[in-house]
Amino acid sequence: MRVGTRPQHLLPAQDNRAAMGYQRQDPVIPPQRDLDDRETLVSEHEYKEKTCQSAALFNVVNSIIGSGIIDFSLVLLIKGGALSGTDTYQSLVNKTFGFPGYILLSVLQFLYPFIAMISYNIIAGDTLSKVFQRIPGVDPENVFIGRHFIIGLSTVTFTLPLSLYRNIAKLGKVSLISTGLTTLILGIVMARAISLGPHIPKTEDAWVFAKPNAIQAVGVMSFAFICHHNSFLVYSSLEEPTVAKWSRLIHMSIVISVFICIFFATCGYLTFTGFTQGDLFENYCRNDDLVTFGRFCYGVTVILTYPMECFVTREVIANVFFDGNLSSVFHIVVTVMVITVATLVSLLIDCLGIVLELNGVLCATPLIFIIPSACYLKLSEEPRTHSDKIMSYVMLPIGAAVMVFGFVMTITNPQDCTHGQEMFYCFPDNFSLTNTSESHIQQTTQLSILNISIFQ
């Protein structure tokens, strides 16, 4: 996969703009709209406060780990911005496809981070409730350690205050903390893969590479891979942003994120195989102290990732309804309203898998595969044999197929959810970590069927 190559056909003026940061140009605008929304997140004097490249690196890594791995289309997106002379995802699509494209992109760009905010609340509530239940002397039924109370408390004390920043560069240190905690969590998951994995019975089809519903997994991975909705925000926070500098940043981010995500996925699946839940920490037993500490770190990580998604939802609202500019009062009002609605919805939904699948196939897939490819193909004057165009021609139909078939299969074949319930192997009567004979594993597998039927 070839990324980071600057288009060779840039005119001198365009090349200048790419090298020194985009000069503001008036994009094609919808009626009564000004899409120059750089001021949405950063006031004019605040915009001068640029983050260093390392801070931007941690913002990207935090976004794509809190949400997953970044790929070729992210560089393609910034190249499209360079070709069109635009500095936001929305203005790029508006310049390329006009007002209808702008509206469609705005809807998708709002829904993805908004649903991500909901999923982060679900994760924080589920994860931290199990942490607080392990405190000696605390009643597991106490309302103050329940998922609803934790979601509300974390919103008021952490996610709302962090989301009220106007400059995304302010989140650089927060993202650094989140990335550090993620690395620590990875160590815990790896340790449990070694100590716990050999004692968990493997499902019959554990090593089958793909099943007919694998396209649903593509949707979840699309949710994980995306950083496109806030890529222009991070790009603009760089000191003297250029396509070349962005490409180097993305290469570093990819190396870090691919390493972490592959190890998470591999260690998690090797431990639990077919029993793996949408939220990996749902698989571990509640009396595991090491995992309890990991759950705490995990809960803090998603709380610190949440504000980056809120930045994007607020930006979209500002562009569509406020001409790209929010006063101080409306900045606070919009932020509070978005977070309040996301919190209320997350209190009503407790199954993470279906949230990830739908957000992946309906929002993340077009934002990753379809729209950047379509924009680049329309803007670029490179020959069809150019590597960037070949990749665009490949990504666009793949994205369309994943979006259509993934949605159908998600609706017709929904995931089971064991939210809040201990897995069968956590009960002493069913499972003993000291007995790993083949006959015992067969007996445990039979008992698992009984327990799963009870859970349902």
Side-chain angles (χ1 to χ4, degrees):
M1 184 175 294
R2 181 183 175 192
V3 297
T5 305
R6 295 179 64 188
Q8 299 299 313
H9 69 286
L10 286 177
L11 299 176
Q14 293 174 307
D15 200 51
N16 235 2
R17 181 178 61 243
M20 301 183 65
Y22 302 142
Q23 298 298 319
R24 194 166 293 171
Q25 295 186 5
D26 293 330
V28 179
I29 58 174
Q32 306 301 319
R33 295 283 183 233
D34 179 6
L35 294 183
D36 188 5
D37 55 348
R38 180 175 292 180
E39 301 297 328
T40 303
L41 297 179
V42 189
S43 65
E44 187 160 340
H45 81 277
E46 287 177 318
Y47 185 72
K48 297 177 182 177
E49 183 183 347
K50 298 287 188 175
T51 183
C52 65
Q53 186 162 338
S54 60
L57 169 66
F58 288 117
N59 272 336
V60 174
V61 171
N62 183 41
S63 178
I64 62 185
I65 289 178
S67 308
I69 303 173
I70 199 170
D71 64 4
F72 168 81
S73 65
L74 190 55
V75 175
L76 204 65
L77 192 65
I78 299 300
K79 286 184 178 181
L83 292 171
S84 62
T86 56
D87 55 9
T88 68
Y89 202 165
Q90 288 169 285
S91 55
L92 165 63
V93 174
N94 184 74
K95 187 74 172 284
T96 309
F97 295 105
F99 187 55
Y102 164 77
I103 291 297
L104 175 62
L105 188 279
S106 297
V107 172
L108 293 174
Q109 202 173 11
F110 174 84
L111 286 177
Y112 170 78
F114 181 76
I115 298 175
M117 290 164 62
I118 294 172
S119 68
Y120 291 161
N121 275 337
I122 294 173
I123 293 172
D126 291 347
T127 303
L128 293 179
S129 63
K130 294 180 178 62
V131 173
F132 296 140
Q133 287 172 3
R134 293 287 296 157
I135 299 176
V138 173
D139 181 4
E141 302 300 323
N142 191 317
V143 66
F144 294 109
I145 62 171
R147 63 184 300 271
H148 293 82
F149 180 81
I150 290 174
I151 291 174
L153 181 63
S154 64
T155 298
V156 173
T157 56
F158 294 104
T159 56
L160 178 58
L162 290 174
S163 298
L164 285 172
Y165 281 125
R166 298 184 72 94
N167 188 348
I168 197 170
K170 296 284 189 180
L171 298 179
K173 293 180 180 179
V174 173
S175 297
L176 172 59
I177 296 173
S178 179
T179 304
L181 290 176
T182 301
T183 306
L184 184 60
I185 297 167
L186 175 60
I188 294 173
V189 172
M190 292 174 64
R192 278 294 174 258
I194 297 172
S195 62
L196 182 61
H199 306 292
I200 302 294
K202 309 306 178 187
T203 52
E204 182 179 354
D205 54 355
W207 310 116
V208 175
F209 177 72
K211 300 179 183 179
N213 63 340
I215 196 167
Q216 292 176 256
V218 177
V220 176
M221 287 187 289
S222 297
F223 173 88
F225 289 8
I226 192 171
C227 178
H228 301 60
H229 56 299
N230 57 25
S231 59
F232 277 102
L233 302 181
V234 179
Y235 176 84
S236 65
S237 72
L238 288 171
E239 184 178 356
E240 298 182 359
T242 66
V243 174
K245 182 180 291 186
W246 176 252
S247 297
R248 290 194 298 270
L249 173 68
I250 292 307
H251 282 303
M252 289 187 289
S253 302
I254 287 175
V255 170
I256 296 172
S257 303
V258 166
F259 175 83
I260 293 176
C261 290
I262 286 179
F263 269 86
F264 262 120
T266 302
C267 293
Y269 189 78
L270 287 177
T271 307
F272 303 109
T273 61
F275 300 116
T276 306
Q277 298 292 301
D279 181 353
L280 180 60
F281 274 101
E282 287 289 304
N283 280 99
Y284 295 101
C285 303
R286 297 188 186 185
N287 61 355
D288 189 326
D289 291 333
L290 179 62
V291 172
T292 297
F293 176 67
R295 286 192 176 105
F296 174 77
C297 295
Y298 184 41
V300 173
T301 297
V302 297
I303 288 174
L304 296 181
T305 305
Y306 183 106
M308 295 194 71
E309 310 301 339
C310 185
F311 266 62
V312 182
T313 60
R314 185 174 61 222
E315 179 198 28
V316 174
I317 292 175
N319 292 338
V320 175
F321 298 105
F322 297 93
D323 297 326
N325 293 294
L326 285 175
S327 64
S328 297
V329 173
F330 278 105
H331 172 85
I332 296 174
V333 171
V334 170
T335 304
V336 171
M337 288 181 61
V338 168
I339 291 180
T340 299
V341 174
T343 301
L344 292 176
V345 174
S346 61
L347 294 176
L348 300 175
I349 301 175
D350 61 4
C351 192
L352 184 62
I354 187 68
V355 175
L356 298 181
E357 287 183 6
L358 288 177
N359 202 16
V361 296
L362 294 181
C363 300
T365 299
L367 287 172
I368 292 176
F369 298 109
I370 300 175
I371 298 177
S373 301
C375 288
Y376 185 80
L377 289 173
K378 187 169 182 179
L379 293 170
S380 176
E381 298 177 1
E382 295 283 3
R384 293 185 178 182
T385 56
H386 190 274
S387 59
D388 288 346
K389 279 203 169 180
I390 292 175
M391 287 302 303
S392 299
Y393 283 123
V394 171
M395 288 197 312
L396 200 154
I398 288 177
V402 169
M403 184 176 178
V404 174
F405 291 107
F407 175 73
V408 172
M409 297 191 72
T410 298
I411 298 300
T412 58
N413 187 26
Q415 281 190 5
D416 293 330
C417 184
T418 58
H419 163 74
Q421 298 172 333
E422 285 274 62
M423 298 297 289
F424 69 90
Y425 45 74
C426 295
F427 296 101
D429 292 340
N430 291 358
F431 188 65
S432 172
L433 294 180
T434 60
N435 186 349
T436 58
S437 66
E438 183 178 351
S439 61
H440 182 76
I441 289 179
Q442 291 175 349
Q443 179 184 5
T444 305
T445 304
Q446 293 173 353
L447 287 169
S448 73
I449 298 175
L450 174 62
N451 275 281
I452 291 174
S453 65
I454 292 174
F455 288 161
Q456 293 174 343

